[in-house]
Amino acid sequence: MKGKPLTALEASLGEGLSCELNAALERLQLWPLEGAKPLTLGLSNQNWLLQAGSESMVLRVNSPGSDRICDRNNELACWRVAEKANLAPGLIWVSADKGLYLSRFIEQAPQANWQQLLASKGAAEIASAAQKAYANSKNLSGLPEHKHEPRHDSKHEPRHESKHEGGSGAVLGAKQGKSPQALLLELLLGLRGLPAPKLEISVAEQWRIYLERLDDMALSRGQPSSWQQRLMQLHSAQGLFEQCSTRLEACLLRPQYCHRDLNPHNLLLAEDGLKCVDFEYACASHPLFELAGVLSSHQLSAEGQQWLIYHYLEQHPHLTGDAHLAVAAAVDVYWLFACCWALQMAWDNQQQSYLDWFDDFWHLVKHQ
């Protein structure tokens, strides 16, 4: 590698990984490497845009923190299944230690960047949408109009959300002639139809894993009182979680392929629809958690929310017919898990910003 951008990449990777990457690029005839620049996408891992001739690629550098929570073999298996179904970018190469992933780059037009839809929605709003979806089911049989309501930021809007003007949803769906909710439904149904991964994690098991890991972190080294206080807050939500888990289990027939992190940071808008990235949390799990991740993190109109809920749940093969009554419970679980993630990242990185995110997420949990 030569030149300042490439030198920066080498410094980030270290000599060993740089040599392994160079050898792989030469073997794949993706050489010489002409440019490398950091990408802003990615909350846990580092991403670089690499250029070799006319070929653009994304190099993901996995963080030690995410290594602790992720089964890399399962992650790669889930990615490849989604790639085969044209629901994920092509995976080109993986380093021997699975610390580096090289994949095809999908360019995002500034006016059509899916992150413009980033939002934070609590259970109360989503519960209302689910109720109205089934009260108005006769009016939801067709595609919604290609429009998007202006965003109204909530009092506790997370600090990392990007602002956007009304009408961006229409722009995002313009190439396909589809609304954002229609594009999201296509992705959700596509993922639902994939073979269930061997790794199965229920919402109850995930909650147990998170709390045990955080408790171990608290014991492994001294944490400031601000971190400890937030861990106590999580433990205080045990009763709420059990209520939510009971509702979710009551409507579950069988687990399905779930990405489990379909927020706008992990979605790319291609010419033929949405693609998802970052399969660290993918496994066989609860179908409503998959839907909750989308509804909680996307700025959709009220009608768009209702339409998406109704069409995702309509004749769902893995859920009972009254599953819409448990959508709000899935949203609360989603934000509780987000709080767990933020507290874990705060431990790994010792940064106040992750504690701020915890507080933002905590305000979205129903009991608050």
Side-chain angles (χ1 to χ4, degrees), residues 18-37:
S18 293
C19 291
E20 185 179 358
L21 174 61
N22 289 346
L25 292 172
E26 289 192 64
R27 186 171 65 254
L28 295 166
Q29 298 183 345
L30 297 171
W31 191 262
L33 197 60
E34 299 164 1
K37 65 177 183 179

Side-chain angles (χ1 to χ4, degrees), residues 216-241:
D216 289 342
M217 288 176 172
L219 294 173
S220 65
R221 69 177 185 223
Q223 287 297 313
S225 58
S226 57
W227 191 95
Q228 298 283 0
Q229 172 66 29
R230 287 167 175 83
L231 178 56
M232 291 175 63
Q233 287 177 243
L234 277 177
H235 279 290
S236 74
Q238 180 65 35
L240 171 64
F241 176 81

Side-chain angles (χ1 to χ4, degrees), residues 3 15 32 68 77 96 109 112 120 135 155-156 161 165 174 177 199 203 276 334:
E15 183 177 356
R68 180 164 43 259
S120 294
K155 178 180 178 182
H156 299 297
E161 288 183 20
E165 299 297 324
L199 178 63
V203 291
C276 48
Y334 176 84

Side-chain angles (χ1 to χ4, degrees), residues 147-205:
K147 63 180 181 179
H148 184 75
E149 292 185 351
R151 174 176 177 163
H152 302 287
D153 295 324
S154 64
K155 178 180 178 182
H156 299 297
E157 179 187 6
R159 296 166 176 79
H160 64 283
E161 288 183 20
S162 57
K163 306 293 188 292
H164 66 271
E165 299 297 324
S168 61
V171 173
L172 286 169
K175 287 185 179 181
Q176 293 80 6
K178 299 174 182 176
S179 65
Q181 53 265 31
L183 291 168
L184 286 165
L185 180 65
E186 285 184 355
L187 177 64
L188 285 168
L189 296 183
L191 293 172
R192 186 177 83 184
L194 299 179
K198 293 181 180 179
L199 178 63
E200 181 179 330
I201 304 178
S202 68
V203 291
E205 176 67 6

Side-chain angles (χ1 to χ4, degrees), residues 45 62-72 97-99 280:
N45 305 298
N62 294 325
S63 74
S66 61
D67 284 341
R68 180 164 43 259
I69 65 173
C70 175
D71 179 335
R72 295 298 181 195
D97 67 351
K98 300 181 176 65
E280 288 181 323

